[in-house]
Amino acid sequence: MGDFSIVQILLVGVVGFIAGIDQFSFLESLYRPIVLGPIVGAILGQAELGLKIGASYELMMVGNMPIGGAQPPNVVVGGIMAVVFAISTGTENFESALGLAVPFAVLGQQAVTIMFTITSPLMSKADDMAAKADVKGIERLNLMTMCGIGLLFAVISMAGVAAGSALGDWMASNVPAWIWTGLGAAGGMMKHVGFAVLMKIMISGETWAFLFVGFGLATIIDKLMPGQTLILVAIFGIAMAIYDFQLNTKYKNAAGQGGMSDGI
């Protein structure tokens, strides 16, 4: 069960601050659930469970990307709350925590939308600074907005940990088993839905062959070497990606030597 200390809550707030800035400014993938999960889990005392939750939540959200003003359920808030609920409820079926975290991810989405709406007038201010070549002014404006989004995520993360601990303890004692079963089924299903959304976006006529090869390899390796499937398929995937990159680079170089250009 989760009974988190003030230090743990503050540390999760620091993680939320950095992840919030990274999601919209640094773009170093520090904000992704597969990275946040084990970090938050380690802070709350269960790094292994945090890694499981982070990997599962990553599959759920892997196809959801913010495009312009369209914001999907927030991966930072949802990923942190999934770990909090998994630890605080103490349920063996950690996938139920994924279902519980989705409403909080939607709340995070709304908070970001409100934040962007409030700060949108600053765009005209930035245009005026650019017209005056006020480089330092633009830097200060960027730093101010970055700190603003970071503080927003820090506050939401700390409030989520504090409230999620109490809510998780109450739910573990009062929620019927059939509800946990339903939440677990929903959480398990959403992983496949998230990956299907990604495949719908990325798959093309040129990449179907790689999908079939990966599926075949995974099936064969799972029969011959159970427990080693993921790492071996990943190694084969890296090898194919390197080969494809080298082959395309070779073709482009050959085309360039012949006096032709791809226009880039």
Side-chain angles (χ1 to χ4, degrees):
M1 299 294 178
D3 186 13
F4 309 129
S5 67
I6 295 297
V7 174
Q8 288 175 313
I9 294 173
L10 290 175
L11 286 175
V12 172
V14 172
V15 171
F17 180 85
I18 297 172
I21 295 176
D22 182 66
Q23 183 178 11
F24 298 103
S25 299
F26 297 156
L27 299 176
E28 296 293 337
S29 296
L30 300 176
Y31 71 96
R32 299 303 304 179
I34 198 168
V35 178
L36 284 184
I39 294 175
V40 175
I43 291 173
L44 301 182
Q46 296 197 40
E48 183 178 350
L49 179 59
L51 178 59
K52 292 179 180 178
I53 290 290
S56 298
Y57 201 78
E58 182 72 37
L59 286 176
M60 286 172 53
M61 296 296 176
V62 69
N64 292 338
M65 298 292 175
I67 302 175
Q71 292 294 317
N74 191 264
V75 294
V76 175
V77 176
I80 290 174
M81 291 308 300
V83 176
V84 170
F85 279 128
I87 295 174
S88 61
T89 57
T91 177
E92 294 183 0
N93 183 9
F94 69 87
E95 290 183 336
S96 60
L98 300 177
L100 280 174
V102 171
F104 290 88
V106 174
L107 288 176
Q109 169 195 28
Q110 298 301 317
V112 170
T113 302
I114 292 171
M115 180 71 176
F116 284 177
T117 302
I118 293 173
T119 57
S120 59
L122 295 177
M123 292 299 295
S124 59
K125 184 71 174 176
D127 289 338
D128 293 338
M129 291 178 178
K132 298 174 183 177
D134 185 0
V135 176
K136 291 191 177 297
I138 293 176
E139 289 178 352
R140 288 194 298 269
L141 192 63
N142 276 317
L143 288 173
M144 182 182 71
T145 51
M146 286 167 61
C147 288
I149 196 73
L151 286 172
L152 174 67
F153 276 84
V155 171
I156 292 175
S157 299
M158 289 188 292
V161 173
S165 175
L167 181 60
D169 287 340
W170 179 86
M171 293 184 69
S173 303
N174 296 278
V175 172
W178 62 269
I179 293 183
W180 288 116
T181 302
L183 287 170
M189 177 184 67
M190 284 187 288
K191 293 184 296 183
H192 304 290
V193 172
F195 200 74
V197 171
L198 178 67
M199 288 183 62
K200 182 178 180 181
I201 296 171
M202 295 184 64
I203 204 73
S204 68
E206 298 176 353
T207 56
W208 275 107
F210 295 105
L211 175 65
F212 293 141
V213 168
F215 180 80
L217 282 173
T219 304
I220 294 170
I221 295 172
D222 189 54
K223 295 293 184 182
L224 299 177
M225 304 174 64
Q228 306 298 320
T229 307
L230 186 61
I231 185 67
L232 289 176
V233 171
I235 291 173
F236 285 128
I238 292 171
M240 286 190 290
I242 293 173
Y243 175 75
D244 183 68
F245 174 77
Q246 292 175 334
L247 195 63
N248 280 284
T249 302
K250 182 178 179 180
Y251 287 155
K252 286 184 179 181
N253 290 338
Q257 291 173 359
M260 298 180 67
S261 173
D262 58 6
I264 299 177

